[in-house]
Amino acid sequence: MRTLVARLDSDGDVLLAGPAIRAAAAAGEVVLLCGPQGVQAAELLPGVTRIVEWECPWIAHPAPDVRALDIEAVTALVRGIRADVALILTSFHQSPLPLALVFRLAGVPKIVARSVDYPGSLLDVRLRDDPDIPEAERALQVARAAGFELEDSSLAVVEPPKTSLEGPYVVVHPGATAPARTWSPDRWAKAVVALTAAGYRVVVTGGPGETDLTGHVAGACGTDLGGRTSFRELAGVLAGADAVVVGNTGPAHLAAAVGTPVVSLFAPVVPASRWAPHGEHVLLGDQNAPCRGSRARECPVRGHPCLDLVDPADVVAAVAEVTA
């Protein structure tokens, strides 16, 4: 059995596809089709035999142009995979049908997805409902509809490398691809001061493009690792931490996958019922704020009140709760 699994979003989305992928992997090979922003997460998932990268113009943001040559190329690529079945994993606001058309033209014999829109002959197995449940479980339901089963639906990654950091520490990860989904930089910096004053050693992490942010947030109190770890090395840093303080972004799900408790600064622009960290966590932020359900990338409300009304002392208390 060769299963083609498509999850074309970013790192966090790919990590949440992990249980569905492990379910399919129990029956044979899994080829994962993912976008360029999800490859580094895909490389950490147990059960993935092969990764195929494609920037999908109806998923990626900012979106590339739709070009006939690119669609023909990915159709030929999928045809060459010779999959027995394809699982198309999407978020509630995405349609699987454009990709299902590509897969159908590529000759995939069985295509399974969740679709609230009429799919005609594009899908062989269609899940019609859209339950308000955690995204990882929602994806696993698609795998189950294809005949794959998995008892353990927790997130998982391959064994991360050991970190060179010594002693207990708390990770603060201030960045996010969508600014609306994280705290303001000055609030993060104040939280690092507050955590340090409470006796915690703080390590600040971030990607290569976030070094100015992590330097500001770390200040004189924190250890700044911004831009100094790969995604796999970040998994090791998170695995060694007592807790991780983070917004709604990929490293929150990576922390859950390595079993570290999460203090989540969660903006309600997307529902926490679907996107909150999958493992042990404390949720901070006003989940009934005016931005609720807007899917905004930039905060649509003056002052970012859903998160910026959270006091750094609340973060200290939440860290104490998850590390007790």
Side-chain angles (χ1 to χ4, degrees):
M1 173 73 73
R2 178 175 296 147
T3 303
L4 173 60
V5 178
R7 184 75 224 208
L8 294 163
D9 304 75
S10 55
D11 291 323
D13 306 293
V14 171
L15 289 171
L16 291 170
I21 288 169
R22 297 202 311 276
E29 297 180 49
V30 172
V31 179
L32 177 57
L33 179 67
C34 68
Q37 293 184 331
V39 170
Q40 57 184 359
E43 292 171 342
L44 299 183
L45 289 181
V48 175
T49 307
R50 176 186 170 195
I51 299 169
V52 177
E53 179 182 340
W54 178 51
E55 188 174 31
C56 177
W58 51 86
I59 297 292
H61 182 84
D65 293 336
V66 179
R67 303 189 307 172
L69 182 64
D70 295 334
I71 302 302
E72 291 166 1
V74 76
T75 303
L77 187 153
V78 171
R79 184 179 295 113
I81 292 172
R82 302 179 66 85
D84 298 294
V85 59
L87 311 181
I88 301 177
L89 306 181
T90 53
S91 298
F92 69 98
H93 58 277
Q94 299 166 342
S95 171
L97 300 185
L99 190 59
L101 175 60
V102 171
F103 286 0
R104 187 61 80 207
L105 294 175
V108 178
K110 182 178 180 180
I111 305 172
V112 185
R114 172 171 266 120
S115 178
V116 297
D117 299 316
Y118 172 63
S121 57
L122 293 179
L123 298 178
D124 298 286
V125 181
R126 171 196 180 194
L127 286 77
R128 296 169 179 262
D129 61 338
D130 186 14
D132 196 21
I133 60 176
E135 192 72 5
E137 178 62 31
R138 192 170 168 277
L140 183 56
Q141 288 182 355
V142 176
R144 288 173 175 150
F148 304 120
E149 284 296 335
L150 181 73
E151 292 184 6
D152 179 13
S153 62
S154 61
L155 302 190
V157 293
V158 297
E159 185 71 24
K162 300 295 183 183
T163 178
S164 60
L165 296 169
E166 296 180 357
Y169 60 90
V170 170
V171 167
V172 165
H173 188 94
T177 55
R181 300 186 184 188
T182 188
W183 227 1
S184 300
D186 287 346
R187 306 297 288 177
W188 282 112
K190 290 177 181 178
V192 169
V193 173
L195 285 165
T196 302
Y200 296 100
R201 179 189 178 193
V202 180
V203 174
V204 181
T205 58
E210 297 174 327
T211 53
D212 288 345
L213 172 64
T214 59
H216 172 72
V217 170
C221 297
T223 300
D224 181 13
L225 292 186
R228 301 178 188 177
T229 62
S230 65
F231 198 70
R232 186 170 182 269
E233 290 167 336
L234 176 61
V237 172
L238 298 180
D242 291 333
V244 177
V245 187
V246 61
N248 178 20
T249 187
H253 304 300
L254 185 59
V258 297
T260 301
V262 176
V263 175
S264 174
L265 276 297
F266 196 97
V269 291
V270 294
S273 57
R274 298 175 185 254
W275 295 101
H278 201 58
E280 181 185 355
H281 68 276
V282 171
L283 209 65
L284 298 178
D286 181 3
Q287 300 307 300
N288 294 305
C291 63
R292 182 180 180 182
S294 66
R295 303 209 310 266
R297 297 182 65 83
E298 301 283 344
C299 181
V301 182
R302 183 181 179 88
H304 200 26
C306 67
L307 291 185
D308 280 5
L309 292 181
V310 175
D311 192 279
D314 298 331
V315 171
V316 175
V319 168
E321 178 180 343
V322 299
T323 58

